[in-house]
C-alpha cells in the first residue's frame, strides 16, 4: 500500500501538506466527519490516483476562516484521476480508467438523484441534502487535494474519458469538468443565456471566467464580465469578453456604454457571499451588493443564475445578520421585475458529459479561458496564497507528476 499526502486546512489563513491515511473502503472518523457517517461501508467505491486536483474559490472561503470548517480538514473537491482499485460492488468502472469526479457526491438511488438533482443527494450527508469532498458540513468525505482519494458510488459518479491518451493531451481542460466549467455553464443555463442574448457576469475569478466561456459556447451576442481586479478583467478580455470595473462605480452606467442601454437579458452571480461594494465602497464588504446589482441590471422577465456560494454560517461576517446568512437583498425589486432565481450547487452530472465532448472536439478552450496553471502538491500553500491575492489563474495541483509539461 503506497503512502498518501494531502492538503490540510490548518486554521485561518494557513494550509499545509501533511501525510494522511491511504483511502480504504470504510469512512473513518476525522475532522468534519459526521458521527452518523463513521464506519460507513463503501463496497461501491473506487480509489483514484489523482492526476489533477484544483484549488477552488470555495476552498478559499474556508481557508480565510469564513466558515465553520474544522482544523485538520483535508481540502479539495475538484478531482480528476486514474482508478487504481475498486470495491466488490463496482461493476462497470475498471482499474486503469481515467475519470472525472463530479464535486457533488451522489448516491444515484434517492429521489433527488433520480430526478437529476445530484447536488442535493439525500443519502450521503446526514447534516442536510447535498455533499462534496473535503468541504465543511458536507458529511466528512475526505478531500481530493491528495495523492490518492476515495470516490463512493463509483459506477454512478465517475465520468470515464473514452480515450486515455487523448484525454491526457487535454488534461488541463478536462480537469475543469469536476466543478468550475459545469458550474459556470449551469449559471448561464439557469440565467437563460442563449443565441443572441446579452449577459452580465459578476466576478472574473475562475468560475466567472468559466461562465463567460460557457456564455460564448451557448451563443451569447455580448458577454460582459465585472470585477475589481484588473488582471482578471484582462484575462476576460483575452477571449472576447467586454468588461466592467466595478471599482469605478455603478456597473449600470458602464453596461449602457457597451450596449447602448443599461440592461442585459441575463445575469450571473459568480462572486457569492464575500462580495465587495462598488465605486467608493469597493474595498468594503457588502455581501448583498452583487445580487442587488444583478436585479438592477437584468431586464424585466429575465433570470439570475447564482452559482456563487452563499452560506448559513459565516463567523467572519461584518454584521450579525450576515453571520447567519441573512442579507439585505432587494427582493421587492426582483419581484417587481418578475425575475427568476436559481441557486445551489451545480448538478455536475447534468452537464459534464456534453462539456467533455465540447472539449474533446475543440469547441471550447476552457483551460485557456481560466488560465489553468499546473503546480506540484507541495506548492499548494503558494497556490492558495497567490490565488487569495487575486492571481488571474486557476491553480491545478499535480500530486503524482502525471500532467504533461506541455499541457
Amino acid at each position: 500500500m503506497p503512502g498518501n499526502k494531502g492538503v490540510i486546512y490548518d486554521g485561518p489563513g494557513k494550509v499545509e501538506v501533511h501525510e494522511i491515511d491511504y483511502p480504504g473502503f470504510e469512512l473513518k472518523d476525522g475532522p468534519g466527519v459526521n458521527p452518523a457517517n463513521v464506519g460507513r461501508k463503501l463496497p461501491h467505491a473506487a480509489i483514484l490516483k489523482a492526476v489533477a486536483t484544483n484549488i477552488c474559490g470555495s476552498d478559499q472561503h474556508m481557508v480565510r476562516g469564513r466558515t465553520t470548517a474544522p482544523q485538520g480538514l483535508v481540502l479539495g473537491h475538484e478531482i480528476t484521476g486514474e482508478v487504481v482499485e475498486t470495491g466488490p460492488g463496482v461493476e462497470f468502472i475498471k482499474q486503469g480508467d481515467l475519470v472525472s469526479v463530479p464535486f457533488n457526491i451522489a448516491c444515484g438511488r434517492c429521489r433527488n438523484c433520480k430526478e437529476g438533482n445530484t447536488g442535493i443527494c439525500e443519502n450521503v450527508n446526514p447534516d442536510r441534502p447535498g455533499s462534496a469532498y473535503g468541504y465543511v458540513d458536507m458529511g466528512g468525505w475526505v478531500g481530493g487535494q491528495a495523492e490518492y482519494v476515495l470516490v463512493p458510488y463509483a459506477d454512478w459518479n465517475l465520468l470515464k474519458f473514452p480515450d486515455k491518451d487523448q484525454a491526457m493531451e487535454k488534461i488541463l481542460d478536462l480537469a475543469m469538468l469536476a466543478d468550475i466549467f459545469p458550474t459556470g455553464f449551469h449559471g448561464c443555463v439557469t440565467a437563460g443565456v442563449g443565441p443572441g442574448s446579452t449577459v452580465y457576469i459578476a466576478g472574473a475569478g475562475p468560475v466567472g471566467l468559466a461562465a463567460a466561456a460557457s456564455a460564448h459556447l451557448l451563443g451569447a451576442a455580448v458577454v460582459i464580465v465585472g470585477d475589481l481586479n484588473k488582471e482578471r478583467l484582462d484575462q476576460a478580455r483575452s477571449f472576447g469578453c467586454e468588461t466592467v470595473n466595478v471599482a469605478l462605480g455603478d456597473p449600470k452606467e458602464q453596461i449602457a456604454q457597451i450596449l447602448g442601454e443599461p440592461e442585459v437579458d441575463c445575469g450571473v452571480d459568480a462572486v457569492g457571499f464575500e462580495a465587495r461594494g462598488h465605486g467608493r465602497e469597493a474595498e468594503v464588504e457588502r455581501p448583498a451588493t452583487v445580487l442587488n446589482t444583478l436585479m438592477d441590471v437584468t431586464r424585466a422577465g429575465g433570470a439570475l443564475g447564482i452559482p456563487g456560494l452563499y452560506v448559513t454560517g459565516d463567523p467572519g461576517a461584518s454584521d450579525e445578520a450576515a453571520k447567519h446568512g441573512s442579507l439585505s437583498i432587494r427582493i421587492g425589486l426582483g419581484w417587481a421585475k418578475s425575475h427568476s432565481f436559481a441557486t445551489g450547487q451545480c448538478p455536475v452530472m447534468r452537464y459534464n458529459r456534453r462539456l467533455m465532448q465540447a472539449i474533446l472536439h475543440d469547441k471550447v478552450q476552457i483551460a485557456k479561458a481560466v488560465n489553468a496553471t499546473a503546480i506540484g502538491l507541495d506548492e499548494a500553500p503558494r497556490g492558495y496564497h497567490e490565488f487569495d491575492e487575486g492571481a488571474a489563474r486557476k491553480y491545478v495541483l499535480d500530486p503524482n507528476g502525471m500532467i504533461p509539461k506541455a499541457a
Side-chain angles (χ1 to χ4, degrees):
M1 182 182 296
N4 197 15
K5 291 195 299 183
V7 179
I8 305 294
Y9 169 61
D10 207 32
K14 190 175 182 181
V15 293
E16 293 187 352
V17 179
H18 289 181
E19 295 289 332
I20 63 174
D21 290 339
Y22 186 81
F25 294 98
E26 179 180 320
L27 191 55
K28 297 179 180 179
D29 198 6
V33 180
N34 188 292
N37 260 352
V38 174
R40 186 170 181 162
K41 304 292 190 234
L42 307 168
H44 43 68
I47 296 172
L48 306 189
K49 183 178 184 179
V51 175
T53 176
N54 313 336
I55 297 174
C56 181
S58 297
D59 298 321
Q60 289 284 22
H61 294 308
M62 292 186 290
V63 172
R64 292 186 190 119
R66 298 299 298 269
T67 72
T68 55
Q71 190 169 336
L73 186 73
V74 182
L75 298 168
H77 55 271
E78 299 190 22
I79 309 159
T80 307
E82 180 181 36
V83 177
V84 295
E85 188 177 356
T86 58
V90 178
E91 186 175 359
F92 304 110
I93 290 293
K94 304 298 181 185
Q95 183 178 350
D97 287 346
L98 189 61
V99 296
S100 179
V101 184
F103 80 88
N104 327 106
I105 302 172
C107 71
R109 296 152 165 79
C110 70
R111 174 180 176 176
N112 284 337
C113 284
K114 289 180 178 180
E115 293 179 355
N117 297 315
T118 53
I120 43 174
C121 173
E122 298 171 330
N123 289 332
V124 290
N125 181 5
D127 289 316
R128 61 171 185 258
S131 189
Y133 305 87
Y135 213 83
V136 59
D137 295 333
M138 291 291 180
W141 300 92
V142 177
Q145 287 173 15
E147 294 173 321
Y148 296 90
V149 63
L150 185 84
V151 175
Y153 303 101
D155 281 328
W156 167 252
N157 282 305
L158 295 179
L159 173 65
K160 178 184 173 181
F161 301 136
D163 184 298
K164 198 169 182 179
D165 291 336
Q166 181 194 27
M168 287 304 297
E169 291 175 2
K170 296 177 176 288
I171 194 63
L172 287 184
D173 294 281
L174 294 170
M176 302 306 137
L177 291 173
D179 182 353
I180 68 161
F181 192 12
T183 292
F185 194 84
H186 179 63
C188 288
V189 168
T190 54
V193 178
S197 58
T198 58
V199 55
Y200 175 62
I201 297 167
V207 169
L209 295 172
S214 299
H216 285 308
L217 188 61
L218 288 163
V222 184
V223 179
I224 305 170
V225 179
D227 205 289
L228 303 160
N229 182 312
K230 180 182 181 302
E231 185 181 0
R232 290 180 171 178
L233 291 175
D234 289 344
Q235 179 64 25
R237 282 193 295 273
S238 75
F239 61 98
C241 301
E242 301 286 346
T243 58
V244 163
N245 187 337
V246 298
L248 301 179
D250 189 345
K252 199 167 189 177
E253 297 177 5
Q254 297 177 66
I255 290 170
Q257 291 174 4
I258 295 167
L259 296 177
E261 57 182 357
E263 289 188 327
V264 293
D265 298 321
C266 316
V268 178
D269 174 3
V271 178
F273 73 103
E274 287 193 67
R276 304 280 184 89
H278 296 155
R280 288 177 294 180
E281 293 190 335
E283 296 304 316
V284 181
E285 191 164 296
R286 293 284 186 262
T289 295
V290 167
L291 292 171
N292 288 333
T293 296
L294 285 171
M295 285 186 277
D296 191 33
V297 304
T298 301
R299 68 173 182 85
L304 275 60
I306 309 173
L309 177 68
Y310 289 87
V311 294
T312 56
D314 175 10
S318 56
D319 63 74
E320 194 61 34
K323 289 181 180 180
H324 305 285
S326 297
L327 309 181
S328 298
I329 297 170
R330 295 182 64 194
I331 192 65
L333 175 61
W335 188 94
K337 297 177 79 173
S338 293
H339 283 157
S340 299
F341 299 79
T343 65
Q345 285 188 28
C346 164
V348 170
M349 293 173 67
R350 191 178 298 175
Y351 308 107
N352 62 352
R353 184 174 298 277
R354 287 180 288 165
L355 295 178
M356 175 188 72
Q357 292 287 75
I359 290 169
L360 294 178
H361 293 279
D362 299 317
K363 298 300 181 185
V364 65
Q365 293 181 302
I366 188 65
K368 184 177 180 181
V370 302
N371 197 15
T373 304
I375 59 176
L377 187 70
D378 290 334
E379 297 178 90
R382 174 177 69 85
Y384 269 92
H385 174 72
E386 292 179 0
F387 188 26
D388 195 43
E389 291 293 306
R393 298 178 181 274
K394 175 67 173 178
Y395 285 104
V396 180
L397 303 180
D398 182 8
N400 291 289
M402 298 176 71
I403 296 178
K405 295 302 180 186

